Amino acid sequence: STLQGYRAHVDSVAAQNEQLGPVDELWKLFGLVRMLARPPCADPSEPPAIVPLLDTVRHVPQPLANAVVKREAKSDGVLGMGASEASVVCTASRDIAPGEVITVDLGTETPLTTSRCALDFGHFPMTAASDGYELALGIPPNDVNRDDKLDILETNGYPNAERIAPVFVLTPGGTNIGTGAGVDAAGRADDGRSLAAAATRRYIASAGWIAAAVTSSTASDPSDSAPRVPGFILNPVPDAMWPVIRLVQMNATDCFLLEALFRNEVWGHINLPVSEMNERNACTSMSGGARAAFDALGGDDAITSADEEIATIGTQALELGAELPISDLRRLTASFARRSEALSLRACVVYFDTYAETLGDVEYYQERRLRGLNLIDDDGKPMTFDEMLSEGWKE
């Protein structure tokens, strides 16, 4: 997980620099700097930059945010402080009432999840639109076609694919921007506790900063592009993720699409199913990985225990009007994070397992190509010469 990676990094620095003091203190300092380094000044390829006042804005997913933060190369200065080579400008995207909290979408290339918001920025998102599970999809180092696949990624929107694997967010099921309730893996609205959960979510958000990033217990362990599956199973996978999944799983005879001859067209081809083998490998890999991560979180018990904790602590705060101690706020945040990640992973397992059962009815690259040349009919059967002529076939 990201948190484990942070811990390993801090432990390594502490071991090599004993003069910096106890590792626990260094861990707190790391968390404080990480929490205050906000987009657009949090590029992983650059040293972290802390910009005064930028850390006071709150995260709300678009289109609910009332402001936009951008990084500019040059500025005339603010409050008479003079020009600066690097500056950050916060611009209102709508009228903001006096006393209203300034909110921006801190997600840069991918949506910011509840877990990431708490881990990196030390506060809690106000809506369930942030529920999800982050998944990085990289090309394995031992893939014999790694260079070709990286080249394809880098020329199709992922310029740093060799160094930073593309990251996507699995959701509990479909897009739920602006809603207070999630959707479970079977496509049912989570109405049983949604009102209480939404109210508790707003309570935590109104409480302000929950803690430095490192003290939050939010660790997680391991379109046209999207196939349609039968039944009321919502799609937890973003459309942009499908071509990457298929590219990662491409092997054997499908690798002809990696040839330079197809380099300009390959992305369009892998936006749709390539072959049954490729699609089945994608389903097996995604379902297996999601199931392992779901089990590591505690499976269905993680969802049940999170629901119970949210109900117990949340009811105390909402009904009694009690001001919760910071420890309870952290526990609630961790419960929401575990719940959203577990629901997202369970939805992923159900979706890919269900889709895998339909692969015999899916149209793949070769069939699409032959149909485009009028060499097969609508039923997938070879056409006679007369049928080809009647369809306008030409050599």
Side-chain angles (χ1 to χ4, degrees):
S1 69
T2 301
L3 181 57
Q4 291 169 335
Y6 287 167
R7 282 177 173 160
H9 172 71
V10 173
D11 289 346
S12 174
V13 171
Q16 298 175 33
N17 301 273
E18 295 182 1
Q19 72 276 14
L20 295 178
V23 65
D24 288 345
E25 294 301 315
L26 187 60
W27 184 228
K28 292 178 182 178
L29 291 173
F30 173 86
L32 184 62
V33 172
R34 187 68 191 85
M35 183 180 74
L36 297 178
R38 301 299 185 83
C41 297
D43 189 328
S45 65
E46 300 177 358
I50 299 177
V51 179
L53 301 181
L54 181 59
D55 61 302
T56 63
V57 301
R58 301 300 305 277
H59 166 72
V60 171
Q62 288 288 10
L64 305 178
N66 59 26
V68 176
V69 175
K70 294 182 179 180
R71 185 175 183 176
E72 295 187 354
K74 294 183 178 180
S75 171
D76 293 332
V78 179
L79 301 178
M81 298 301 291
S84 172
E85 289 299 318
S87 63
V88 173
V89 177
C90 183
T91 306
S93 55
R94 61 170 174 79
D95 291 339
I96 300 177
E100 183 179 355
V101 176
I102 302 299
T103 58
V104 301
D105 189 343
L106 293 175
T108 51
E109 296 181 356
T110 58
L112 193 65
T113 64
T114 297
S115 299
R116 175 66 65 177
C117 192
L119 176 62
D120 280 355
F121 305 127
H123 72 89
F124 188 79
M126 299 180 186
T127 73
S130 296
D131 285 347
Y133 181 91
E134 280 190 8
L135 179 66
L137 281 179
I139 308 299
N142 61 348
D143 191 321
V144 296
N145 297 297
R146 174 178 167 82
D147 290 344
D148 286 324
K149 292 181 178 181
L150 286 174
D151 183 52
I152 291 170
L153 286 175
E154 290 171 356
T155 55
N156 286 279
Y158 304 97
N160 300 313
E162 183 173 9
R163 187 168 49 87
I164 303 174
V167 176
F168 303 92
V169 174
L170 304 173
T171 63
T175 303
N176 58 358
I177 290 293
T179 66
V183 178
D184 69 11
R188 298 182 295 268
D190 180 22
D191 295 326
R193 301 176 188 264
S194 63
L195 294 179
T200 304
R201 180 185 289 274
R202 288 193 295 272
Y203 175 89
I204 303 173
S206 67
W209 309 112
I210 59 171
V214 297
T215 60
S216 174
S217 302
T218 57
S220 59
D221 297 311
S223 125
D224 289 335
S225 301
R228 305 294 183 256
V229 299
F232 194 39
I233 305 292
L234 297 183
N235 181 9
V237 181
D239 285 354
M241 187 173 172
W242 273 104
V244 180
I245 296 174
R246 293 178 178 125
L247 182 65
V248 170
Q249 294 299 324
M250 190 172 291
N251 57 38
T253 56
D254 292 332
C255 289
F256 75 93
L257 287 173
L258 302 178
E259 297 292 339
L261 176 65
F262 294 95
R263 193 55 46 95
N264 293 332
E265 295 84 23
V266 62
W267 198 253
H269 292 319
I270 61 178
N271 263 276
L272 296 170
V274 175
S275 69
E276 183 170 349
M277 176 184 65
N278 180 254
E279 211 76 347
R280 192 169 299 283
N281 287 342
C283 289
T284 301
S285 174
M286 289 297 298
S287 175
R291 183 176 285 103
F294 180 65
D295 291 341
L297 280 176
D300 287 320
D301 289 342
I303 299 172
T304 301
S305 63
D307 279 340
E308 292 173 351
E309 188 149 51
I310 291 169
T312 301
I313 303 178
T315 299
Q316 173 189 344
L318 296 172
E319 293 185 356
L320 302 181
E323 182 176 345
L324 294 179
I326 189 67
S327 59
D328 282 348
L329 286 173
R330 291 175 186 164
R331 287 169 58 197
L332 276 175
T333 300
S335 294
F336 271 106
R338 284 196 306 273
R339 183 179 186 276
S340 70
E341 289 189 342
L343 285 173
S344 302
L345 289 167
R346 189 175 70 178
C348 184
V349 172
V350 172
Y351 178 77
F352 280 100
D353 284 352
T354 304
Y355 175 49
E357 297 175 359
T358 71
L359 296 182
D361 300 323
V362 174
E363 182 178 77
Y364 299 104
Y365 170 81
Q366 289 187 351
E367 186 176 353
R368 291 195 304 273
R369 180 64 174 159
L370 292 174
R371 194 186 308 283
L373 294 173
N374 287 329
L375 295 177
I376 59 174
D377 60 21
D378 292 338
D379 296 325
K381 298 178 180 179
M383 298 178 66
T384 66
F385 185 74
D386 290 339
E387 289 172 335
M388 293 177 188
L389 291 179
S390 67
E391 291 289 335
W393 177 79
K394 297 180 180 179
E395 292 186 9

